[in-house]
Amino acid sequence: MALLIMMVTALVVTACSGNETAQQNQQAGGETAGQQAAPSQGGDHPLKGKSIEMSILGIGGWLPSKLGVDMSPEFAKYAKEKYGYDVTFTFEEAPFSSLFQKAAASLATQSQEYNIIISDSQWLGAFAEPGWIVKLNDIIDQNPELKNIKWADPVVQKGYMNYPDGSSDVWGLPQEADIIVLYVRKDMLEDPKEQAAFKAKYGYDLPKTFEDFEKISMDEYEQIAEFFTRPDKGLYGTALQYSKEYDFMSCFLLPFIWSTGGEVWDSKTNQVEGILNTENNAKALERMVGLMKSAPPGSINYGIPQVIESFSQGKIFSAFQWAAVGDAMITPELRDKVLVVPPPGFKKDGKIERVYTLGGQPWVINKFNDEEHMTVAIDFIKWWYMPETQLEFAKRGGNPAVKDVLESPGFEDIHPWYKAYKYMLKEATARDFWHDPKYAEMLAAQQAAFTAYASGTATDPLNALTYAACQQQKILHDAGRTSTAPTGACANVELK
């Protein structure tokens, strides 16, 4: 998530080609790594008395990534006491826009420059198919500390761990789980004057509690956002991410599609055309863009940092935003003035449906680590999922994914966003998209189409979706990932 990943370089594309060979490499690589890194079953740890330097590659400017390294001195103490070796960690970083390429360029040369990588969830296929990362099934089976973890919900495994979709093959483990929540100004909601004025205008009460927002539909939210939009006072009702950078607009449009019964592709057949470009999805795109009328000027360029800035500076009443940036959204000055709630649902068959985009990142382990670095990587991962480690991660602002931690007494009171985070981190309300190796190219095509409509460059939402669908169908067909080629109707489709 954050900034646009450009198409995979020629080096990466070459390394990703040949699915049959890649699948063989995956299995061999995973089994070898598991055997190399198997812990000793008795006596001293194999690294006792040694000093190891580890490198983690993560996301620049992203608190959860930073916490993985900030907490590493605690692991060093643990490793010294439990295993008898010394370990230090260095941290390399890059923004979302270039992190994949930085990792891929290194891994393609079979380098162990980065021993552990914090990957975006959608990159699992691109890292796994060339055999660049460790298949973790054997390692999990060999280590009860990993095998016995109970994850918060099956969506955790589907989003951060498994590739291909629907398989039991594990390539990642959740470093940070994440989901879109809604940040609202509680002090404005509780103002008696605002309550009276809203009731007089719309005929119903402003929502004031978490439970009230559970029942709020997008129809009602649009009115609430409209009500708090006061340009003459520098106040606006909402903010979403419409930026062309990386997956910003995609992540915030998809809930409008999924929650109304739409889909973006068939993951079993890799069919996109005719699934993404439907009337339902065109209405979803139109509606999402329609919220810009209650957003600040320039919101076409809004990504994660712009939403943080607008909300923390009091320019907007509410914001759709990732739970992961709660600390930045809720400044000390706003600490008692903000309520974090489920984002609005959509009326469907007499019910409120809400399915929002899963964020977050998994740990992946470099398959080319030597035996010593592989052993430390596994020791570190086991330590990461200890309850006390996960609880400390939570206290520092991270979003853990271990069920026992999320259900521990007082967890929801640690941070204002945890109740909404827990509420949304379920299969019924959270979904990830594409783990396919062609993710970067597919994303670039749809970001161009979605933002063209949002900016007014393209005026027909269905045409914009058709352009994206045709481009994506061609990408997948040309790569041999589907037998379905774009139809003749795609020949003359342009963004207009």
Side-chain angles (χ1 to χ4, degrees):
M1 325 152 350
L3 300 179
L4 174 63
I5 299 180
M6 301 307 293
M7 290 189 178
V8 183
T9 60
L11 176 65
V12 175
V13 172
T14 302
C16 284
S17 64
N19 293 341
E20 183 177 349
T21 303
Q23 293 287 348
Q24 294 170 352
N25 288 342
Q26 287 179 25
Q27 187 172 3
E31 290 171 354
T32 302
Q35 291 165 2
Q36 284 180 337
S40 59
Q41 299 301 312
D44 291 338
H45 190 281
L47 299 183
K48 184 176 181 180
K50 294 192 175 184
S51 296
I52 309 294
E53 183 174 305
M54 298 288 290
S55 175
I56 295 176
L57 176 63
I59 303 157
W62 194 242
L63 175 65
S65 283
K66 186 173 182 293
L67 288 177
V69 179
D70 287 349
M71 292 173 62
S72 65
E74 297 303 314
F75 170 71
K77 294 177 186 177
Y78 175 84
K80 184 68 172 178
E81 293 172 2
K82 185 174 178 65
Y83 304 126
Y85 65 79
D86 294 294
V87 59
T88 57
F89 285 79
T90 59
F91 184 54
E92 291 287 327
E93 63 182 25
F96 279 103
S97 59
S98 57
L99 181 65
F100 174 79
Q101 292 156 322
K102 186 169 185 174
S106 179
L107 293 169
T109 65
Q110 301 191 8
S111 167
Q112 62 171 337
E113 180 181 9
Y114 312 121
N115 307 116
I116 306 172
I117 297 168
I118 298 173
S119 166
D120 213 355
S121 59
Q122 291 88 9
W123 305 342
L124 284 180
F127 285 146
E129 287 208 1
W132 290 344
I133 58 176
V134 175
K135 185 178 177 182
L136 298 170
N137 295 65
D138 289 346
I139 292 171
I140 291 170
D141 286 343
Q142 293 166 8
N143 292 277
E145 303 96 323
L146 299 177
K147 189 173 184 179
N148 295 331
I149 294 174
K150 293 181 181 179
W151 301 109
D153 188 89
V155 75
V156 172
Q157 292 154 282
K158 292 180 177 180
Y160 308 117
M161 299 171 62
N162 297 138
Y163 178 79
D165 290 344
S167 76
S168 58
D169 293 345
V170 178
W171 299 94
L173 290 167
Q175 190 264 341
E176 158 87 357
D178 202 7
I179 186 66
I180 296 170
V181 293
L182 186 72
Y183 297 79
V184 297
R185 287 293 298 269
K186 181 175 67 170
D187 56 333
M188 296 184 190
L189 289 172
E190 293 177 345
D191 186 322
K193 293 181 181 179
E194 299 287 10
Q195 292 175 12
F198 183 86
K199 181 101 178 246
K201 184 173 183 179
Y202 297 102
Y204 62 95
D205 293 326
L206 273 172
K208 295 184 285 293
T209 67
F210 187 97
E211 291 71 26
D212 288 342
F213 276 94
E214 288 182 60
K215 304 169 187 175
I216 290 295
S217 71
M218 187 59 70
D219 295 339
E220 293 158 329
Y221 177 76
E222 288 169 341
Q223 292 178 333
I224 295 168
E226 177 187 64
F227 176 73
F228 282 106
T229 298
R230 302 158 190 180
D232 57 325
K233 296 182 179 180
L235 178 66
Y236 296 86
T238 190
L240 295 88
Q241 296 178 26
Y242 295 99
S243 173
K244 190 175 180 179
E245 294 179 353
Y246 188 40
D247 64 0
F248 286 170
M249 183 168 178
S250 291
C251 283
F252 287 77
L253 168 63
L254 291 178
F256 288 73
I257 291 176
W258 289 330
S259 300
T260 54
E263 298 291 343
V264 296
W265 77 330
D266 183 331
S267 62
K268 295 179 180 178
T269 64
N270 284 1
Q271 174 77 28
V272 181
E273 190 185 355
I275 298 176
L276 175 63
N277 53 317
T278 64
E279 289 290 347
N280 178 87
N281 294 353
K283 290 177 182 177
L285 174 57
E286 188 174 18
R287 189 167 196 180
M288 187 260 193
V289 171
L291 276 171
M292 290 178 73
K293 69 180 183 294
S294 297
S299 59
I300 185 63
N301 298 313
Y302 270 31
I304 295 171
Q306 290 79 16
V307 174
I308 292 173
E309 180 182 0
S310 291
F311 188 79
S312 63
Q313 293 183 1
K315 297 176 182 178
I316 50 178
F317 157 75
S318 64
F320 295 78
Q321 181 62 286
W322 300 108
V325 295
D327 258 348
M329 290 287 287
I330 307 173
T331 61
E333 294 76 17
L334 292 177
R335 192 72 180 183
D336 298 321
K337 299 178 180 179
V338 175
L339 184 64
V340 188
V341 297
F346 294 75
K347 292 179 180 177
K348 184 171 176 254
D349 301 326
K351 299 179 181 179
I352 298 291
E353 297 284 342
R354 50 168 65 83
V355 183
Y356 277 74
T357 310
L358 188 74
Q361 298 81 38
W363 299 108
V364 297
I365 299 177
N366 186 340
K367 184 230 172 180
F368 306 111
N369 285 330
D370 58 34
E371 187 171 348
E372 291 185 347
H373 287 84
M374 193 71 76
T375 299
V376 177
I378 295 167
D379 286 346
F380 177 80
I381 294 296
K382 290 193 294 184
W383 169 83
W384 184 256
Y385 294 108
M386 291 172 60
E388 54 267 42
T389 307
Q390 287 284 283
L391 189 58
E392 179 62 22
F393 178 58
K395 289 177 180 177
R396 296 188 185 206
N399 291 334
V402 177
K403 186 173 184 178
D404 290 346
V405 176
L406 268 65
E407 294 184 351
S408 61
F411 175 79
E412 293 182 8
D413 299 325
I414 296 174
H415 294 297
W417 61 90
Y418 274 167
K419 186 175 182 179
Y421 163 70
K422 281 180 58 177
Y423 181 94
M424 293 297 296
L425 192 69
K426 303 187 297 283
E427 275 190 292
T429 49
R431 188 187 299 185
D432 205 4
F433 64 105
W434 315 324
H435 294 135
D436 194 273
K438 305 308 290 182
Y439 168 78
E441 289 147 273
M442 292 174 70
L443 179 64
Q446 81 173 29
Q447 280 287 108
F450 294 170
T451 57
Y453 177 72
S455 67
T457 303
T459 58
D460 182 346
L462 182 58
N463 180 73
L465 293 176
T466 300
Y467 175 87
C470 289
Q471 293 293 314
Q472 291 171 345
Q473 198 68 55
K474 183 177 188 303
I475 289 165
L476 292 167
H477 182 259
D478 289 353
R481 305 198 67 79
T482 181
S483 59
T484 305
T487 66
C490 288
N492 299 313
V493 177
E494 299 178 358
L495 277 177
K496 58 182 180 179

